[in-house]
């Protein structure tokens, strides 16, 4: 009977999202470039914010970040809360320029600003990251949650690898239907609806977790909250010592490597900012970015707190498999049986949101930045859309095959973030310099990108294994140092090989570029809230005094 209730709840919410998304987008023109890839410039602020959040927040974060917090405590929230800085930069520095240029993809700007080679280089790098890193990890993390929560191994008799493979395939097929047949509008709308479900379902986990923690000490929710704040205050300290390695987040990185990492992700990553390109106007794009910054400050309630509560409930058992079992463990234990179906649907929606967003962006980049300019410059929009759909289908199959092998890659969050760091900084540097400097010419990306990638790979994958002094250096320190080197190279290249004529950003906007009147005030409030969060979880707040550390398995 319980299984039937779970199945009914799951199907009801999943079908509801699909029906609403279909109904609201049934009249969309999907045979044009703007209609399919930019939602016909129809997206409003709240939809953009919900889609930004859901593209970012999936099982990968729910599993990975909670796994890290179960091991090292509250410092994991840095990945979430500091995103407000990058989203503010996106809203007021880059967004007006993006929309003025009339872009559909980020690599498109690299041809406008530099040359065709730069566009193709960035396109190939981004596609590689989506295919090899993002899509397989989204499927793996999502499948991991369902395997653990619903004891799929026990029900099917299959080993974990094959359970992950089968569930990953199911997730991929459903997500591909949204991404390939509905276009950006369907993706963004379903993201927003699933976002509401995720907020409700996600908050249930820490609430029920605190109730169980309180029960262990003879009380209820309030006692659980008291124990959460007092059992081990050191775990609530976000300010980790400067010399710690991952999965810790040393405090200097909050002002250096973390900021650089977030600037790429939130203001350059195609799978994120494509929904802002589809904004109705600049005002709605800025609203979406700032609303998303408020949401990111609140997300530790969902993707950090449960991991810490899991540690208090189960001890070092949550450190199994780099902590990636912590979230499934607490959900399986504290979530009432009658709510499991709804929670499963919410999780399924979160996974779909990330998968279909990345898949849609990958198809966009291939169709518009590789296929059309290289293989068929005169092809129609309708043909280009079909090419993108076919490419997305191939990517889906490849991600399905690769995803179960992520089981052997260690902690999800550390693997994904360290892999991305190889190329995210030079792409962001070239884009920002391209917008802000009139003198940089086409030589810049040809120099910056390969030098950065080679140096990062040398430091991260060779030097730290052969040079004792670098063995325990956090990879975001490498990002910070290499950013400085990148900027020195930028200055040298511009000085030695400046552009013959000053670059002028021409206006090709298809939307109104009037900024949001109250945008800067609201953004300032968001940044103040971010600072307050860091004060609360510090030695002068709820955390113990000093920088005390503890053993991590």
């Amino acid at each position: 009977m319980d299984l039937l209730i779970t199945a009914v709840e799951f199907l009801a919410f999943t079908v509801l999202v699909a029906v609403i998304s279909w109904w609201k987008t049934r009249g969309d023109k999907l045979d044009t470039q703007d209609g399919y890839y930019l939602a016909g410039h129809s997206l409003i602020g709240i939809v953009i914010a919900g889609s930004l959040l859901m593209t970012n927040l999936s099982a990968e974060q729910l599993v990975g970040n909670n796994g890290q917090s179960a091991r090292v405590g509250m410092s994991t929230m840095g990945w979430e809360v500091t995103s407000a800085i990058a989203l503010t930069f996106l809203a007021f520095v880059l967004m007006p320029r993006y929309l003025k240029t009339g872009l559909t993809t980020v690599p498109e700007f690299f041809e406008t600003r530099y040359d065709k080679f730069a566009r193709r280089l960035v396109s190939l790098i981004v596609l590689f990251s989506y295919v090899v890193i993002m899509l397989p990890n989204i499927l793996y993390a999502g499948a991991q949650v369902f395997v653990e929560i619903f004891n799929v191994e026990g029900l099917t008799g299959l080993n974990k690898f094959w359970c992950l493979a089968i569930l990953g395939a199911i997730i991929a097929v459903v997500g591909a239907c949204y991404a390939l047949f509905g276009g950006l509008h369907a993706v963004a709308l379903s993201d927003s609806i699933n976002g509401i479900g995720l907020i409700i379902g996600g908050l249930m986990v820490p609430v029920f977790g605190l109730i169980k923690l309180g029960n262990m000490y003879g009380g209820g929710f309030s006692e659980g909250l008291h124990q959460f704040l007092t059992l081990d205050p050191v775990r609530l300290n976000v300010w980790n010592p400067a010399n710690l390695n991952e999965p810790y987040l040393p405090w200097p990185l909050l002002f250096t490597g973390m900021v650089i990492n977030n600037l790429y992700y939130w203001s350059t990553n195609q799978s994120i900012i494509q929904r802002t390109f589809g904004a109705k106007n600049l005002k709605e794009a800025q609203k979406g970015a700032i609303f998303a910054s408020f949401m990111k400050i609140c997300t530790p309630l969902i993707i950090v707190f449960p991991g810490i509560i899991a540690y208090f409930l189960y001890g070092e058992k949550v450190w199994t498999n780099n902590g990636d079992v912590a979230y499934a463990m607490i959900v399986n234990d504290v979530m009432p049986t009658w709510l499991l179906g709804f929670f499963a649907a919410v999780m399924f929606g979160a996974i779909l949101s990330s998968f279909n967003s990345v898949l849609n962006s990958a198809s966009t980049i291939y169709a518009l930045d590789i296929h059309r300019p290289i293989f068929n410059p005169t092809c129609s929009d309708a043909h280009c859309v079909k090419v993108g759909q076919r490419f997305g289908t191939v990517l889906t199959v490849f991600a399905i095959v690769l995803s179960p092998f992520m089981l052997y890659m260690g902690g999800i969050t550390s693997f994904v973030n360290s892999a991305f760091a190889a190329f995210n900084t030079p792409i962001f540097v070239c884009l920002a310099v391209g917008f802000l400097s009139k003198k940089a010419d086409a030589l810049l990306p040809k120099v910056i990108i390969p030098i950065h990638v080679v140096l990062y790979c040398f430091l991260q994958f060779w030097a730290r294994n052969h040079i004792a002094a670098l063995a325990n250096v956090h990879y975001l320190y490498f990002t910070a140092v290499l950013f400085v080197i990148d900027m020195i190279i930028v200055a040298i290249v511009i000085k030695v090989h400046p552009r013959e004529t000053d670059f002028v950003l021409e206006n090709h906007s298809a939307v109104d570029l009037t900024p949001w009147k109250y945008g800067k005030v609201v953004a300032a409030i968001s940044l103040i809230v971010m600072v307050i969060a860091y004060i609360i979880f510090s030695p002068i707040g709820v955390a113990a005094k000093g920088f005390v550390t503890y053993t991590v398995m």
Side-chain angles (χ1 to χ4, degrees):
M1 188 64 180
D2 289 340
L3 186 60
L4 178 62
I5 293 173
T6 298
V8 170
E9 288 177 350
F10 176 83
L11 289 173
F13 186 80
T14 304
V15 171
L16 176 66
V17 174
V19 169
I20 294 175
S21 300
W22 168 78
W23 181 260
K24 297 293 289 184
T25 62
R26 68 192 188 283
D28 289 358
K29 288 180 64 62
L30 299 180
D31 58 349
T32 66
Q33 178 174 313
D34 280 0
Y36 185 80
Y37 295 117
L38 296 180
H41 292 290
S42 64
L43 301 184
I44 60 174
I46 192 64
V47 173
I48 293 170
S51 190
L52 286 172
L53 182 69
M54 292 301 291
T55 299
N56 166 252
L57 187 58
S58 182
E60 178 190 329
Q61 281 70 37
L62 290 165
V63 172
N65 283 42
N66 277 305
Q68 282 194 343
S69 67
R71 298 168 66 197
V72 305
M74 201 68 198
S75 69
T76 306
M77 85 173 198
W79 291 106
E80 301 300 307
V81 176
T82 59
S83 297
I85 298 171
L87 284 162
T88 301
F89 183 84
L90 169 65
F92 300 108
V93 178
L94 292 184
M95 207 64 251
R97 293 172 170 85
Y98 276 143
L99 293 183
K100 182 178 181 180
T101 310
L103 298 176
T104 302
T105 70
V106 171
E108 185 181 345
F109 171 73
F110 279 79
E111 179 174 354
T112 301
R113 181 61 182 83
Y114 299 114
D115 60 13
K116 292 180 179 179
F117 177 84
R119 179 180 186 175
R120 292 168 188 171
L121 176 62
V122 172
S123 299
L124 291 173
I125 290 174
V126 173
L127 280 179
F128 176 81
S129 71
Y130 288 170
V131 173
V132 176
I133 301 173
M134 291 193 72
L135 290 174
N137 267 284
I138 292 169
L139 296 182
Y140 162 71
Q144 169 94 326
V145 171
F146 283 98
V147 167
E148 297 293 340
I149 293 176
F150 296 103
N151 188 28
V152 177
E153 290 177 86
L155 291 174
T156 63
L158 298 172
N159 64 33
K160 191 166 189 176
F161 179 90
W162 286 108
C163 290
L164 292 172
I166 293 169
L167 287 170
I170 294 171
I171 294 166
V173 171
V174 178
C177 290
Y178 277 101
L180 302 181
F181 302 112
L184 180 63
H185 194 188
V187 169
L189 189 60
S190 64
D191 285 353
S192 299
I193 302 169
N194 282 319
I196 297 171
L198 183 64
I199 291 171
I200 297 171
L203 287 174
M204 288 180 181
V205 179
V207 169
F208 287 125
L210 289 174
I211 291 173
K212 184 173 180 65
L213 184 62
N215 291 341
M216 291 174 58
Y217 293 88
F221 176 82
S222 59
E223 179 63 25
L225 182 59
H226 172 72
Q227 295 298 329
F228 177 83
L229 296 174
T230 58
L231 274 175
D232 188 358
V234 172
R235 286 189 172 269
L236 304 184
N237 187 4
V238 298
W239 300 92
N240 286 168
N243 63 340
L244 293 183
N245 197 356
E246 57 201 79
Y248 288 98
L249 191 59
W251 71 264
L253 294 178
L254 299 175
F255 310 102
T256 54
M258 174 64 74
V259 174
I260 298 164
N261 183 83
N262 284 342
L263 282 172
Y264 167 80
Y265 183 83
W266 289 104
S267 62
T268 311
N269 186 347
Q270 178 71 28
S271 67
I272 291 294
I273 61 172
Q274 188 169 338
R275 41 274 305 123
T276 60
F277 289 172
K280 188 175 182 179
N281 49 48
L282 175 59
K283 177 181 177 181
E284 295 300 324
Q286 291 178 328
K287 283 183 179 180
I290 300 306
F291 290 165
S293 73
F294 275 105
M295 293 179 183
K296 289 297 291 179
I297 294 172
C298 297
T299 52
L301 292 171
I302 297 174
I303 67 172
V304 177
F305 280 36
I308 299 175
I309 297 171
Y311 174 79
F312 290 149
L313 288 174
Y314 318 117
E316 296 178 7
K317 289 189 294 184
V318 299
W319 292 349
T320 304
N321 193 25
N322 294 288
D324 286 349
V325 301
Y327 191 67
M329 189 180 291
I330 188 173
V331 169
N332 197 40
D333 186 26
V334 307
M335 187 67 67
T337 304
W338 58 273
L339 277 175
L340 274 178
F342 169 72
F343 183 79
V346 165
M347 284 294 302
F348 191 67
I351 299 160
L352 291 183
S353 294
S354 290
F355 184 81
N356 62 32
S357 294
V358 175
L359 186 62
N360 180 264
S361 295
S363 301
T364 304
I365 288 176
Y366 176 77
L368 300 184
D369 293 315
I370 295 178
H371 181 82
R372 174 178 272 173
I374 297 176
F375 302 113
N376 196 349
T378 61
C379 70
S380 65
D381 281 2
H383 177 76
C384 211
V385 168
K386 288 189 178 297
V387 167
Q389 291 172 330
R390 292 169 190 153
F391 181 75
T393 302
V394 174
L395 286 192
T396 301
V397 174
F398 189 84
I400 289 171
V401 172
L402 198 59
S403 64
F405 291 96
M406 297 297 107
L407 178 65
Y408 309 112
M409 299 305 295
I412 299 172
T413 299
S414 293
F415 168 73
V416 172
N417 290 333
S418 62
F420 262 118
F423 57 83
N424 56 16
T425 303
I427 291 177
F428 170 74
V429 166
C430 291
L431 182 136
V433 170
F435 274 126
L436 301 177
S437 170
K438 297 179 180 180
K439 293 295 185 181
D441 82 335
L443 180 64
L444 187 69
K446 298 180 179 68
V447 174
I448 291 289
I449 294 176
I451 288 178
H452 183 102
V453 171
V454 169
L455 287 176
Y456 178 84
C457 290
F458 169 77
L459 290 171
Q460 175 69 3
F461 303 114
W462 188 89
R464 71 185 309 174
N465 295 321
H466 294 84
I467 301 175
L470 298 179
N472 292 312
V473 174
H474 198 290
Y475 66 86
L476 284 180
Y477 280 123
F478 297 152
T479 294
V481 171
L482 291 178
F483 176 77
V484 174
I485 294 175
D486 288 346
M487 296 310 297
I488 293 173
I489 295 173
V490 166
I492 294 173
V493 171
I494 292 177
K495 180 69 175 178
V496 174
H497 201 279
R499 184 184 170 96
E500 292 182 1
T501 59
D502 288 355
F503 173 74
V504 177
L505 187 65
E506 298 179 0
N507 191 346
H508 296 288
S509 177
V511 299
D512 179 35
L513 295 179
T514 304
W516 183 20
K517 182 178 179 181
Y518 305 105
K520 293 182 180 178
V521 174
V522 179
I525 295 172
S526 173
L527 295 176
I528 291 170
V529 173
M530 179 194 73
V531 173
I532 292 173
Y534 268 90
I535 293 174
I536 291 174
F537 294 100
S538 74
I540 63 173
V542 299
K545 292 182 179 180
F547 296 111
V548 184
T549 63
Y550 34 84
T551 302
V552 177
M553 296 295 291

